[in-house]
Amino acid sequence: MRRYATRKLTTMAGTNYRILPATVDTLARTLADRALADADAILQKTIDSAAVRALREQIAEIRPDDVEAAARTVFADHA
């Protein structure tokens, strides 16, 4: 799952966003034992958070906080 999520996040981020170092570790912990559908949903919400920050603050980076917020949102939707 770590390899899948890292590759997909890197692809989604492209050259538009810088991925902060702890982000991948946070993503891996968050997605441990989760389905691919959960991973895809969390990755999309993570990118969405980074996009909003880039528009509002002109800071184009993906942070561990983005992953954590995305997970809370996605897992709350499944509850």
Side-chain angles (χ1 to χ4, degrees), residues 5-77:
T6 301
R7 188 175 309 133
K8 186 143 186 179
L9 179 63
T10 302
T11 300
M12 293 172 82
T15 58
N16 298 322
Y17 300 98
R18 182 171 77 97
I19 301 170
L20 296 185
T23 304
V24 173
D25 290 336
T26 302
L27 187 61
R29 278 193 312 275
T30 302
L31 296 177
D33 301 322
R34 296 290 180 169
L36 285 178
D38 289 336
D40 289 341
I42 289 171
L43 287 165
Q44 186 60 58
K45 296 272 188 201
T46 298
I47 293 292
D48 292 348
S49 293
V52 169
R53 182 182 316 101
L55 289 171
R56 290 183 180 165
E57 302 171 22
Q58 289 73 48
I59 300 172
E61 59 190 21
I62 300 172
R63 302 172 178 173
D65 291 346
D66 297 329
V67 174
E68 292 166 354
R72 283 191 302 273
T73 301
V74 170
F75 298 149
D77 289 347

